[in-house]
Amino acid sequence: MQLLDGKKLSAEIKNEISEEVKKMVLSGKRAPHLAAILVGNDGASQTYVSSKVKSCEEVGYKSTLIRLEKDITEHELLAQINTLNNDDSVDGFIVQLPLPKHIDEEKIILAIAPEKDVDGFHPMNVGRMTLNLPSYISATPKGILEMLNRYHIETEGKHCVVIGRSNIVGLPMSLLMQRRSKPGNCTVTICHSKTNDLAKYTLEADIIIAALGKPQFLTADMVKPGAVVIDVGITRVEDAGRKSGYRLFGDVDFDNVSKKCSYISPVPGGVGLMTVASLLQNTLSAAKEEFYSKNMSFDVGDL
Ligand code: NAP
């Protein structure tokens, strides 16, 4: 079994990015600028945003963290998004999810200018990704593709089972794995909470991507010998014995599945770090206007 080492790969990607940033700055351009909006003070969200901001510093980006109170109105949040959409000094920005219940996430995602949507959640980017057109690809699935690519894992003709169908992980992941692309060209099965006899599918899979958020859900008896196993899940489980007060669990029973598979990503140290690296890559693409020219946003009324 070989470990899919997100720590090593993300460090490699960050090095590549910082070299590019140095060249950009030497040629007289400004460094890329990522802004992040954090609403409220959810512990996990704060940790994720801090790690994104810290990573920006590591590669030489400018970053701006905008903290908003949890009782901010939807209207006020939309106004903040509008400001960032129109700020030429900001290349891309993210709104950390989940948002408080009184705010409509769909409305917020729709308000982000597609050319600054470095999380790749806007329907314009999801649609372009689906059609295999250049676009921002949501950071977690993009990070997994990068992982498969950098470990030279063959995907063509393989059967890939994705567990989970969320808009940010499972659904884009399943679409990406079947694309006419490398990595891609898989035959994909999507499993979810209403799938009957899920093990029947995972036992036939050459590649399993577990993204359901249920600690240690995928056990060794559900995995074919030699399969590639990617663990997306991150669940905090209380652990009074630890300084942080919790322990992180993935969706895979790592100790037992690792004895049976060919490749496996650990939690922590796997997909989570790749997600941050992909966000940095998307921000670089935004600064370079790789997919869209700046300020191309239009009103639905313009159509
Ligand atoms: P989500 O929105 O809650 O979606 C979970 C998906 O799993 C749903 O499609 C659900 O099915 C399915 N599911 C739930 N229980 C299931 C079961 N018993 N059997 C089969 N499918 C089941 O979660 P998410 O945002 O996709 O995140 C999934 C996990 O990945 C979480 O642990 C999250 O923390 C983690 N995550 C990690 C990263 C990273 O950077 N590593 C990034 C994002 C998310 P239904 O559609 O039928 O409800």
Side-chain angles (χ1 to χ4, degrees), residues 113-164:
E115 72 271 23
K116 294 198 177 186
D117 169 41
V118 286
D119 254 341
F121 294 163
H122 191 284
M124 167 89 96
N125 282 311
V126 178
R128 289 179 65 98
M129 176 206 74
T130 306
L131 298 174
N132 214 354
L133 295 169
S135 68
Y136 301 115
I137 294 177
S138 118
T140 302
K142 182 179 165 79
I144 294 169
L145 292 184
E146 196 77 51
M147 204 170 220
L148 293 167
N149 196 31
R150 291 189 185 230
Y151 274 93
H152 308 291
I153 293 172
E154 184 56 76
T155 58
E156 187 169 311
K158 305 289 182 196
H159 180 201
C160 174
V161 169
V162 179
I163 314 175

Side-chain angles (χ1 to χ4, degrees), residues 4-6 9-10 13 129 137-155 160-164 166-179 181-184 186 188 206-212 228-234 251-252 263-267 269-279 281-282:
L4 297 169
D5 188 345
L9 287 190
S10 64
I13 295 168
M129 176 206 74
I137 294 177
S138 118
T140 302
K142 182 179 165 79
I144 294 169
L145 292 184
E146 196 77 51
M147 204 170 220
L148 293 167
N149 196 31
R150 291 189 185 230
Y151 274 93
H152 308 291
I153 293 172
E154 184 56 76
T155 58
C160 174
V161 169
V162 179
I163 314 175
S166 72
N167 287 350
I168 62 166
V169 190
L171 181 66
M173 195 69 243
S174 57
L175 291 166
L176 290 161
M177 292 305 282
Q178 60 76 45
R179 278 200 319 187
S181 186
K182 194 174 166 48
C186 283
V188 178
D206 304 303
I207 302 170
I208 302 174
I209 302 176
L212 67 158
V228 175
V229 178
I230 312 267
D231 192 351
V232 184
I234 305 180
D251 287 342
V252 178
Y263 292 89
I264 187 166
S265 69
V267 176
V271 172
L273 295 169
M274 297 303 292
T275 298
V276 179
S278 300
L279 178 67
Q281 287 177 320
N282 278 346

